[in-house]
Amino acid sequence: MKKIIIILISVFTVSCSDFLDTDQLTQKDSSNYPQTPEEAYTSLMGVYNAFGSRVGGGETEHSFIVLNLMADDMLGGGGKDDLTAHAIDLFKLTSRTMYTDLWECTWRSVYRANLLLGSLDNIKWPTTESRNKIEGQVLFLRAFTYFRLCSMFGPVQLITTPEPVNLPRASAEDVYAQMGADLKRAIEILPATKFQNIPKSENGLATRWAAQALMARIFLFYTDYYKQAQMGDITKEQVVAWVDDCIANSGHDLIPDFRNLWPYSIVMSGKTKSDYKYAADNNLKWIGENGDNNETMFAIKCSTAAQGNNYDRRNTVNLHFGFRGNQDLLPFGSGWGKGPVNSKFYNEWPNNDLRKRGSVLDVSDATHEGEGSTSKYKWGQAYQWNETGYWSKKYMPVNVYDDKGNIVSYSSILWNMPNDPQFNSTQDIVLIRFADLLLMGAELGGSKAQEYMDRVRKRVDLPSVPATLENIKNERKYELAFEGIRWLDVLRWGDAESTVNGMNGITLKNNSQNATYKIKFRAETGGFLPIPEAEITLSNGVLTQTPGWNTNDAMLQPGE
């Protein structure tokens, strides 16, 4: 059974809206829990749960969806009345509280991390290593969560203790320095166990290698966006050394075929079949997610939620990005139609790059056809908006035939669960993979920059090109498309305004009617999202709004 790192305990089980409530809910609270290493581990699982919470639910409840819809590789999509998706895409608001769920759920993760970190000295640890393993993971999760907040909302309050405080935004210098300090400590104390030697029972937990990769991502964002030479005490030379160490010693690597990273390449011989001609013609076979994929460095682990409406375990990112109103286009399943691929993005993608067809489904491309032929695709279903005929294949519901000839979710076969597309997507949300690390290593410009760049291109049969920034930008654009990274890249490079405004003029269909896409980047926002107005009110004005969001043109207008 797929390992689930989502474990709830009473002391940590709070909703997004009351994540700072300190009322005693059981006989165990933060004054007496955790007291043992075993309880500390259970508390750690609570931190993971908060970090990955609301994988399902609405668009603004998960940063992965928001970041994808903000980027230029995807459009908002959904139906005519899916205004939240339209607003994210156009950098607008449906209301002044639109991002409340994202804000509160992310802060809940910080709170739980602070709570556990503050209790570690109260525990009698059998060895220093046992404490370090817990502490290192919590520091990684806190740094990642702070980066989520600061890369999306701009610098936020810097809170490192669980006590309620009312603080203004910290400076970018201070909050990023804290992220760097947390990750440096995590790198120093987490074990240097190679990927192949990590027990499968620990699949999904943060490692020293994931901390090194995250350090590179945060360092590049901070130093690029804020034009700084270093991040707190962290220098570029240190980051290069950590990246080199990770690439050489972690056991992580590129899997041989890029397309086998994604479930559409699944082969379930003896159980079922997908009849996906593209996969069959290219001898594809999905590598899976249970500790066999050494390209994944850190991911949110997902599972089925067969009992009750449990959004916290399932992956409905795929459901958001599935075809709207189209059925049985095997292996791809139906969903809510968010995130149609930008046709300009697709058309500019070189045809000799196998990642193009390996990442995007063109509904007019007959070579993709199987028994569930894409020629059956129907345009304008359920008032589909921003329809281009191109869809990302990376995160999409994947269906197969069962042994009775019924079309079912692959997850229902693997985990022997009832077939329910609302609950059965179990694909992990990959947040860091090795290809990203190689390209960050190339961008950092160390002595092995060209080697790292070449490794990524060689896998997809592309020739070597110089590891210049412009070439690296293009390589990241296509290697990491639809993975929630593109927006962070164009923002830190200072390319947000030209990239967003360059989307104007895309031809598409809104509710089956020909339309032209219009958008304008509002540079006054700095590329960041607004803090929910209720949070500013609760702070008595101590917390200030992100610039550019109090104006009337920030609101989504009818017909947009």
Side-chain angles (χ1 to χ4, degrees), residues 276-278 357 360-362 365-370 374 393:
Y276 183 31
K277 187 175 185 300
Y278 177 79
R357 292 176 62 229
V360 181
L361 178 67
D362 175 357
D365 184 354
T367 63
H368 281 285
E369 294 182 1
T374 53
K393 299 200 296 186

Side-chain angles (χ1 to χ4, degrees), residues 93-124:
L93 289 174
T94 57
S95 74
R96 299 293 180 183
T97 60
M98 181 172 145
Y99 288 102
T100 297
D101 288 329
L102 179 61
W103 177 265
E104 291 185 346
C105 289
T106 311
W107 272 108
R108 181 178 64 174
S109 180
V110 174
Y111 171 70
R112 290 190 185 184
N114 287 341
L115 196 63
L116 179 52
L117 287 169
S119 71
L120 296 180
D121 289 341
N122 301 327
I123 298 170
K124 185 176 181 180

Side-chain angles (χ1 to χ4, degrees), residues 304-307 408-409 411-413 415-421 423-424:
T304 56
Q307 295 182 350
V408 298
S409 165
S411 299
S412 69
I413 299 293
W415 316 125
N416 194 29
M417 306 297 285
N419 183 48
D420 185 343
F423 293 94
N424 277 354

Side-chain angles (χ1 to χ4, degrees), residues 188-205:
E188 291 169 347
I189 64 178
L190 284 170
T193 307
K194 284 185 177 292
F195 171 84
Q196 292 78 4
N197 297 326
I198 296 173
K200 288 198 173 182
S201 62
E202 296 182 11
N203 179 30
L205 301 183

Side-chain angles (χ1 to χ4, degrees), residues 257-277:
D257 193 318
F258 167 87
R259 297 164 293 189
N260 287 337
L261 288 166
W262 317 109
Y264 70 77
S265 63
I266 193 167
V267 174
M268 302 179 71
S269 177
K271 292 184 178 180
T272 184
K273 59 180 181 177
S274 69
D275 283 324
Y276 183 31
K277 187 175 185 300

Side-chain angles (χ1 to χ4, degrees), residues 29 105 162 295 341 449 537 558:
D29 61 24
C105 289
E295 185 160 344
V341 172
T537 301

